[in-house]
Amino acid sequence: MSEVALLDSVITFLAKPLGSFIDGRPALDEQAGVSEIINPANEQVIARVQDATAVQVDAAVAAASRAFKGSWAQTSPYLRGVLLNKLADAIEQHGEELAQLEALNSGKAINVARGLEVAQSVVFLRYFAGWTTKINGESITPSLPSMAGEQYTAFTRREPVGVVAGIVPWNFPLLIAVWKLGSALATGCTIVLKPSEFSPLSLLRLVELATEVGIPDGAINVVTGAGKVGQWLTEHGEVRKVSFTGSVPTGIAVGAAAMKSKLTRVTLELGGKNPAALLADVNIDDVVPGLVMTAFTHQGQICASPERIYVHRSRIDELEQKLGAALAGLKIGSPLDESVQFGPLANKAHYQKIASYFERMGDGQVVVTGGRTVGDKGYFVEPTLLRASSPDDLFLTEETFGPIVCLLAFDSDEELIELLNDTPYGLGASLWTNDLSKALRMIPRIESGTVWVNMHTFLDPAVPFGGSKSSGIGREFGSAFIEAFTELKSVMIRY
Ligand code: NAD
């Protein structure tokens, strides 16, 4: 099948001078360094994006601060919801354009870009829009003694923290940015976003749309560039909260820097080594399509994707054979080809990391399928299934963040619980079984921010998401985000 034709609007956007977007307009600086944005499917330069300077980071925070105290503070909760819904409408109207930018920039199969990244951005934004009018404190009756007839009452207010720095990884640049800007704007905060240096394009288009639909200048700003830009932002004295999504080592550095700056609040959504567990009763034919989808969508570059699968010993041979066959049958190719199920890895550094894992394979594990790079142009690799014989295996302990899944057999439920928890991480875990009674007994014993049953990696805006242990601090979505983006102010009154 052939590739979808690029829209004229995509071609025009890519040819434009691109860079930071501050106070409602592009902020370009001829003196700034420029990063080339590479299409991972063919290694060609598709756009050039200026790196933000320290002065531009200051300007972005200043614009966000003005909007926080001015235009956005004066926008009623109802109107904030209306504007967020208008932005969701604009994403729908420009959905194909955004999906094409995503496929070109991050190598996401066009169907995944359309049906997951773009469609879910709309769903999440509308969810946040619904919260704007429902953020309340409570009224309290204190028990203070009345000496001379005086009385007391108290109430709490949920007040926006202020300017938020949103730092975004390369895997879902649009959706993760929407999580951050939706949370910030719904609570009355304003935001400066920093996309990954590898994949800034869809967010740069989104922020143009935000201005077009009438979101006030300065409420959403974007600064482009690498880690240094994120560091300037994290350490900026006027930033009141950092919402970071990325790797564990960077997250720890960001958390420490934010604390050191001014005890700046942080939410850290980090990586993991997520397990899936198949109990003895599973129907392997039912489970295989779900595992392929959850572990190999976007080439496994999803933070919550399972990378280690524990299978009851009585079922592991059947799973190995059927999952291996399903993976060997996936169509690898251009993300712009609608029949392709498996595109390239998102950038060269990550491709090199996964290639180096391939070189370390076979010593201790059986390679069931995959384990090789594909072709000599683009960052293509094979979906890979391994079977280990020891729980200490490298592929059961290190996050690869790629399409590499490792199987291990277990014999008893007690052993399984130990295996699931034997990791510094705790982002997501899943149990696959028809024995719900057993699953419900296991769930409290699993150290993980989310436990799925007969599914994995599904996120819903109403369900809090985040990591336990080294997978992060704080939760996004549900009502949990409100706590993270607001301060609780107590008011006591004597009368
Ligand atoms: P990364 O940590 O390398 O980079 C993330 C972002 O931080 C990028 O924008 C980067 O430029 C910026 N950054 C780098 N150094 C910084 C510094 N010192 N200060 C401030 N910002 C800095 O992560 P990545 O490679 O882009 O993404 C992959 C990782 O993200 C994986 O570990 C994955 O598990 C994790 N992830 C987690 C979630 C989640 O919700 N828990 C979602 C997606 C990805």
Side-chain angles (χ1 to χ4, degrees):
M1 210 166 163
S2 59
E3 296 189 344
V4 296
L6 290 184
L7 298 173
D8 288 346
S9 54
V10 170
I11 295 167
T12 311
F13 181 78
L14 293 176
K16 282 200 312 192
L18 293 167
S20 300
F21 194 93
I22 299 170
D23 213 8
R25 60 195 71 85
L28 299 173
D29 178 347
E30 307 237 311
Q31 308 302 317
V34 173
S35 296
E36 291 184 332
I37 305 300
I38 308 292
N39 178 347
N42 58 21
E43 299 178 52
Q44 284 174 2
V45 176
I46 49 171
R48 290 183 168 75
V49 176
Q50 287 183 4
D51 301 328
T53 60
V55 172
Q56 287 177 322
V57 170
D58 278 347
V61 175
S65 190
R66 280 194 302 277
F68 174 68
K69 292 171 193 149
S71 55
W72 198 238
Q74 287 146 20
T75 306
S76 71
Y78 168 73
L79 279 177
R80 288 178 197 154
V82 169
L83 286 168
L84 288 177
N85 270 319
K86 281 190 179 173
L87 184 56
D89 294 342
I91 296 176
E92 276 181 329
Q93 283 151 14
H94 294 264
E96 180 61 14
E97 187 185 340
L98 291 163
Q100 290 191 5
L101 284 173
E102 234 349 90
L104 283 170
N105 193 173
S106 73
K108 195 165 287 147
I110 187 75
N111 292 330
V112 176
R114 287 171 183 155
L116 178 56
E117 178 121 42
V118 173
Q120 284 298 302
S121 295
V122 173
V123 169
F124 273 81
L125 213 40
R126 294 204 191 287
Y127 178 81
F128 290 121
W131 267 111
T132 58
T133 49
K134 298 164 193 73
I135 298 172
N136 298 313
E138 59 179 343
S139 99
I140 301 162
T141 306
S143 300
L144 293 171
S146 175
M147 299 299 181
E150 76 276 23
Q151 292 193 29
Y152 300 89
T153 189
F155 61 93
T156 58
R157 290 170 49 78
R158 280 265 164 214
E159 298 184 346
V161 286
V163 175
V164 175
I167 301 177
V168 180
W170 47 255
N171 63 334
F172 280 87
L174 186 73
L175 182 58
I176 294 178
V178 160
W179 295 347
K180 297 187 187 313
L181 74 87
S183 309
L185 267 58
T187 46
C189 301
T190 55
I191 193 161
V192 181
L193 287 156
K194 194 204 83 64
S196 164
E197 55 275 34
F198 295 110
S199 57
L201 299 180
S202 52
L203 175 57
L204 288 176
R205 183 67 188 112
L206 179 75
V207 77
E208 289 181 353
L209 297 175
T211 301
E212 284 169 27
V213 301
I215 292 185
D217 294 348
I220 307 172
N221 308 274
V222 177
V223 287
T224 45
K228 187 80 198 156
V229 177
Q231 198 182 334
W232 290 332
L233 209 52
T234 303
E235 293 171 356
H236 199 292
E238 278 184 64
V239 166
R240 293 283 180 269
K241 176 189 168 62
V242 178
S243 172
F244 173 86
T245 303
S247 63
V248 173
T250 310
I252 291 171
V254 166
M259 285 283 153
K260 217 168 158 188
S261 172
K262 280 192 171 178
L263 276 187
T264 305
R265 283 26 179 174
V266 281
T267 305
L268 303 173
E269 291 286 349
L270 309 181
K273 186 71 185 175
N274 309 292
L278 273 58
L279 307 195
D281 67 285
V282 285
N283 178 328
I284 297 291
D285 290 318
D286 286 349
V287 163
V288 164
L291 290 178
V292 172
M293 184 175 69
T294 184
F296 294 91
T297 293
H298 194 25
Q299 295 73 261
Q301 303 163 123
I302 300 183
C303 56
S305 284
E307 292 194 3
R308 47 191 180 120
I309 304 186
Y310 301 111
V311 192
H312 192 268
R313 193 173 300 280
S314 62
R315 315 306 307 278
I316 193 165
D317 290 337
E318 186 187 355
L319 179 78
E320 178 186 307
Q321 189 260 320
K322 290 181 173 169
L323 183 56
L327 295 179
L330 288 182
K331 184 173 174 188
I332 304 174
S334 165
L336 289 173
D337 179 337
E338 288 173 332
S339 67
V340 158
Q341 295 152 302
F342 199 82
L345 297 176
N347 57 66
K348 187 172 187 178
H350 194 51
Y351 172 76
Q352 287 169 336
K353 178 179 152 186
I354 296 299
S356 79
Y357 274 119
F358 287 163
E359 282 164 19
R360 295 156 79 187
M361 269 173 196
D363 185 17
Q365 326 77 25
V366 175
V367 182
V368 179
T369 187
R372 291 173 305 189
T373 57
V374 177
D376 51 13
K377 229 3 169 206
Y379 308 136
F380 293 96
V381 300
E382 293 175 335
T384 298
L385 183 65
L386 306 173
R387 179 163 169 180
S389 50
S390 154
D392 302 328
D393 193 287
L394 155 75
F395 291 96
L396 291 170
T397 50
E398 278 184 28
E399 183 193 36
T400 69
F401 203 53
I404 304 176
V405 163
C406 191
L407 308 179
L408 184 75
F410 72 89
D411 293 294
S412 71
D413 295 348
E414 282 308 308
E415 182 192 3
L416 175 61
I417 295 287
E418 257 180 54
L419 289 168
L420 292 173
N421 293 339
D422 184 20
T423 170
Y425 307 114
L427 187 59
S430 62
L431 296 172
W432 299 70
T433 177
N434 293 311
D435 188 344
L436 272 185
S437 170
K438 184 181 273 190
L440 286 167
R441 285 167 205 274
M442 284 186 166
I443 286 167
R445 302 180 65 195
I446 299 173
E447 298 165 357
S448 181
T450 298
V451 179
W452 290 277
V453 178
N454 295 324
M455 61 198 288
H456 192 121
T457 323
F458 282 78
L459 301 185
D460 185 284
V463 182
F465 177 69
S468 61
K469 303 200 295 192
S470 296
S471 287
I473 294 179
R475 295 290 180 272
E476 298 185 294
F477 321 155
S479 57
F481 83 93
I482 295 169
E483 202 166 309
F485 284 77
T486 58
E487 287 283 2
L488 196 58
K489 179 178 281 175
S490 298
V491 181
M492 292 186 77
I493 300 173
R494 186 175 137 226
Y495 62 97

